Amino acid sequence: MSELRPIPISRPHFGPEEEAAVLEVMRSGQLAQGARVEAFEQAFAQATGAQYAVATANGTTALFLALLGHGIGAGDEVITSPLTFIATANAISQTGARPVFGDVDDSLNLNPRAAAALIGPRTRAIVPVHLHGNPAEMDAFTRLAERHGLALIQDACQAVGARFDGRPLGTLGTAVYSFYATKNLTTGEGGMVVTNDAAVASRCASLRHQAYSSTPYLHDAIGYNFRMTEMQAAIGIVQLRRLDEITSRRRSTANLYNEAISHSRFARPTVRRSDVHVYYQYTLRTPDEATRDTTRRRLDQAAIATGVYYPVPVHQQPPYRDLRSEPCPNAEDAARDMFSIPVHPLVSDDDRDRIVAVLAG
Ligand SMILES: *Cc1c(COP(=O)(O)O)cnc(C)c1O
C-alpha cells in the first residue's frame, strides 16, 4: 500500500508558459492593475460570450460587486442555493441584503420552483449557483427574474467554460467567476464579473478601485480595493488559452466514471443533455451516509483523496442558522450522502483506472 502514489482531489495545472508570463510581469515593473488585467478582461468576456468583464481580487469580491452593481443592498432579499460554498451567502450578506435559501433538485442546483415560492415583496435578486460546474436551469430563472423584475446573477465560480443549452454563460446575463487555486482556471486567487449591462460593468469597475470617477482623485462614493494584479492576469491569460484542453480532459475523465458507475449502487446528480458540465468536481450520491463514509475510507486507504462539497448546507451554518430558513431536505440529504472523487486534468489514465477499481470493489 505504502508505494501507492497519492491522487489529490485538486492540483493546479501550470506549465512553463505560466511561469514565463509571471517572470515577464516581474521584470516589467508594472505589477498593479494595468494592461494585462485589461487584456485578460477582454479575452475572458469573449470566451464567456459577455460584452463586459471586470477583474477582481477573488470570486467573493466579484459576487459582492455584481450585487452592488445591480443595486442590491440593505433591506433586500436575495434567493440562492444552500448547497454552495459559504462565500455565496457571505457576499450577499456583506451588501446588507439577506440571503433566502431555496432547496435544490436532483441536479443539486437551486430548484426554480423552490425559488419561485420564496419570492416576496423584498426580493430583489436570484443567485443560482452552477454547483460543481453543472449549469443551473437558466431558462426557468430568466423567466422568473423577468416576470418579477429581479436581478439574475449567476454564481459561476465553479463553472468556467460551462454552457447552458449550448450557450456560454455570459450570454445569459451577469455571472461571476473565481480563479482560486483549485478552480478549473486558476490565478492563485482572482475573480471576474461578466455582464452585458454597461452600467453594471462601470459601477463594478469603479467600486473595485475606490470608486474612482472620470476626474483623477475625485471619488464618487466609498469604494473598495478589489483589484487584480498583473501577475494574476498574466497567468489567467495563459490559463484561458488552455481552458478547452483542461475542460475536455475533465469531461473525458467524467465520462469514464459515468460508465464505470452506471450499473453500481452509486448515483450521480442529473445533468441536462444540452448543457456542458465542466466537472469542477465529479460527485457521486450513495444510498446513505454510512456507505458514503466507508467508500471514502476505502478510497483513502488506496491513497485516493475525496471531498464533500459541501458537508454543511449554508442555512445550517452558525452565522445563518438564526435566519430560520425554510427546510431544505434535498440539500440536507445530499450533504449526507454525496462525495467527490479526483477529476482534475492531472489525474492520469492509470489514476482513473485505480479510482474506478476501488469504486467497483
Ligand atoms: C470559489 C467559490 C466562491 C468564492 O470564490 P473565492 O475566489 O474563493 O473568493 C464563491 N462561490 C462558489 C460557488 C465558489 O466555488
Side-chain angles (χ1 to χ4, degrees), residues 58-60 84-85 87-88 129 155 157-158 178 180 183 189-190 310:
N58 54 59
T60 312
T84 181
F85 184 46
T88 310
V129 180
D155 182 337
C157 285
Q158 303 187 352
S178 164
Y180 178 65
K183 301 281 157 74
E189 298 270 8
Y310 294 88

Side-chain angles (χ1 to χ4, degrees), residues 7 45 62 68 76 79 87 104 116 133 140 182 187 205 212 222-223 226 241 243 246-247 264 298 307 355:
I7 307 175
L68 293 185
D76 297 341
I79 297 169
V104 300
T182 62
T187 61
Y212 72 91
I222 299 175
F226 289 159
R241 282 203 296 264
L243 183 62
I246 290 169
T247 302
S264 74
R298 284 181 27 242
I355 293 167

Side-chain angles (χ1 to χ4, degrees), residues 148-287:
H148 296 272
L150 308 174
L152 180 58
I153 301 168
Q154 306 168 69
D155 182 337
C157 285
Q158 303 187 352
V160 65
R163 286 169 178 257
F164 176 82
D165 259 353
R167 288 138 73 198
L169 302 178
T171 64
L172 306 166
T174 302
V176 302
Y177 291 87
S178 164
F179 310 128
Y180 178 65
T182 62
K183 301 281 157 74
N184 291 21
L185 184 166
T186 182
T187 61
E189 298 270 8
M192 193 79 79
V193 180
V194 304
T195 184
N196 296 312
D197 184 326
V200 168
S202 78
R203 280 196 289 271
C204 290
S206 169
L207 285 171
R208 153 187 73 173
H209 185 27
Q210 313 291 3
Y212 72 91
S213 68
S214 45
T215 310
Y217 294 103
L218 185 73
H219 302 268
D220 287 330
I222 299 175
Y224 305 88
N225 174 1
F226 289 159
R227 294 182 303 263
M228 176 181 275
T229 66
E230 290 282 277
M231 276 86 73
Q232 291 166 286
I235 298 170
I237 290 166
V238 176
Q239 288 261 293
L240 190 57
R241 282 203 296 264
R242 295 174 48 205
L243 183 62
D244 285 349
E245 165 210 331
I246 290 169
T247 302
S248 50
R249 177 67 190 179
R250 283 179 182 269
R251 282 172 56 79
S252 102
T253 298
N255 281 335
L256 186 114
Y257 294 154
N258 286 347
E259 273 179 36
I261 66 158
S262 61
H263 299 290
S264 74
R265 66 214 149 116
F266 302 114
R268 54 197 172 91
T270 53
V271 182
R272 298 164 78 254
R273 276 186 172 280
S274 52
D275 292 353
V276 175
H277 182 338
V278 294
Y279 292 97
Y280 169 58
Q281 297 295 348
Y282 186 92
T283 299
L284 297 161
R285 303 288 301 269
T286 58

